[in-house]
Amino acid sequence: GVARGAMAGARMHADEVPIDAGLVRRLLAAQFPQWAELPLAPVPSAGTDHAIFRLGDDKAVRLPRIHWATGQAAKERAWLPRLAPHLPLRHPEPLAAGVPAAGYPYPWAVYRWLPGAPASSAPLADPRRAALDLARFIVVLQRIDPAGGPPVAEHNLRGAPLVTRDAATRAAIAAMGDMGMIDAGLATRVWEAALGVPAWARGPVWFHGDLLPGNLLVVDGRLSAVIDWGGLGVGDPACDLFCAWALFDGDSRAAFRAALGADEATWARARGLALSQAVIFVPYYLHTNPAGVAGATRTIAAVLADYRREAG
């Protein structure tokens, strides 16, 4: 079970490495010949960093598309075994680590396949229950001893202070405003409100770093697994609250916040981060990732509506 990477074959980045089933077969044949003859099929999704292929019934091959994603599998292998015993939802299980070969320049990995469809496309039977399940997962993660965890300063992670995203966020709001895709004035007010609240003042805590609907798996209408831990680190937990606007609304959003016990400042930072992530995503992937852009656009609308309501 791994993040459902973008549809193999569809390019997400100008400088990404081309990946197809033939390449995956060559890599398997050279490094894991016992699996080389299993059925192989690309997995479609709006993920952007990896190409994913389902291998047989119970495995997945995950290959970075782009240089910045290359350390993610090693981070999962290092940290997930330590975190996993505590977690109330399923998580990726690495089975084997592949090395660069056959003209492919990056480390790659084979994981156990996790059943389910991403919450970005699978309906939740009970959104309020899903909100409580996800909040419990986040609370449990935050209680794990953060000693030695990857600090945000070293990893350019989302758990860093919001000001580190200020220039990129304002540029993205301006770009979307120029395209007529956003109320740039309102979006700027949301962002400045988030910048204006106190920063996270307590000690760093564990965060997943990319808790978006595409990284949450749903089985029979319930959240079942959290995948794609490449953004894992310790810092400000506000970055794990994206789903409040990306997946939940109304009652379920309120239940999520209450179950987390998020204070005003953390909630404002989380809303700013949800906006920042989405506005930076849209211009970059506008012509290459329609499903991801549609999700980010819905998140922006939810954030702006929520802020408007609160501002009265």
Side-chain angles (χ1 to χ4, degrees):
V2 297
R4 313 295 198 233
M7 184 71 195
R11 288 177 70 80
M12 293 276 172
H13 314 281
D15 51 348
E16 73 177 56
V17 174
I19 299 167
D20 59 20
L23 170 67
V24 180
R25 288 251 179 245
R26 291 192 294 278
L27 289 168
L28 287 167
Q31 298 179 44
F32 306 108
Q34 69 275 26
W35 298 331
E37 301 305 317
L38 291 173
L40 186 72
V43 177
S45 108
T48 57
D49 286 355
H50 295 84
I52 307 292
F53 291 78
R54 187 164 184 176
L55 179 63
D57 290 331
D58 61 349
K59 296 178 188 66
V61 185
R62 184 179 186 222
L63 306 97
R65 299 168 162 270
I66 188 90
H67 56 89
W68 67 64
T70 53
Q72 295 182 15
K75 193 198 287 186
E76 289 181 345
R77 274 199 309 282
W79 288 105
L80 269 177
R82 174 170 155 185
L83 303 178
H86 306 280
L87 300 175
L89 294 169
R90 296 185 70 183
H91 52 84
E93 228 182 296
L95 297 176
V99 298
Y104 178 74
Y106 305 138
W108 54 283
V110 181
Y111 288 76
R112 192 174 308 287
W113 177 261
L114 281 174
S120 48
S121 58
L124 295 168
D126 181 345
R128 189 175 182 280
R129 181 169 189 173
L132 296 176
D133 287 345
L134 186 60
R136 185 164 75 99
F137 170 87
I138 292 169
V139 168
V140 168
L141 181 62
Q142 289 179 8
R143 286 180 180 155
I144 300 171
D145 181 359
V152 290
E154 288 175 22
H155 292 270
N156 190 27
L157 297 169
R158 289 180 179 148
L162 262 64
V163 68
T164 61
R165 304 174 65 87
D166 188 38
T169 301
R170 290 179 192 270
I173 289 171
M176 287 189 69
D178 290 345
M179 291 186 278
M181 296 182 72
I182 199 171
D183 179 337
L186 180 60
T188 300
R189 287 199 295 280
V190 175
W191 179 240
E192 290 179 347
L195 286 174
V197 301
W200 179 249
R202 281 173 270 166
V205 295
W206 280 106
F207 56 79
H208 172 279
D210 202 19
L211 278 185
L212 290 167
N215 290 329
L216 304 173
L217 297 188
V218 175
V219 173
D220 297 331
R222 282 201 66 177
L223 289 185
S224 62
V226 175
I227 57 177
D228 197 351
W229 289 72
L232 182 68
V234 296
D236 177 2
C239 64
D240 270 357
L241 311 193
F242 288 169
C243 268
W245 299 273
L247 185 60
F248 304 130
D249 58 20
D251 288 349
S252 57
R253 186 182 300 146
F256 183 63
R257 179 176 180 176
L260 287 165
D263 60 62
E264 293 285 342
T266 298
W267 195 249
R269 291 196 310 278
R271 188 165 56 192
L273 279 163
L275 176 73
S276 173
Q277 190 274 336
V279 297
I280 289 170
F281 188 98
V282 170
Y284 186 94
Y285 293 107
L286 190 59
H287 303 295
T288 58
N289 189 345
V293 166
T297 303
R298 285 193 299 273
T299 298
I300 292 166
V303 165
L304 298 186
D306 187 44
Y307 179 82
R308 243 192 240 107
R309 246 190 330 270
E310 203 172 274

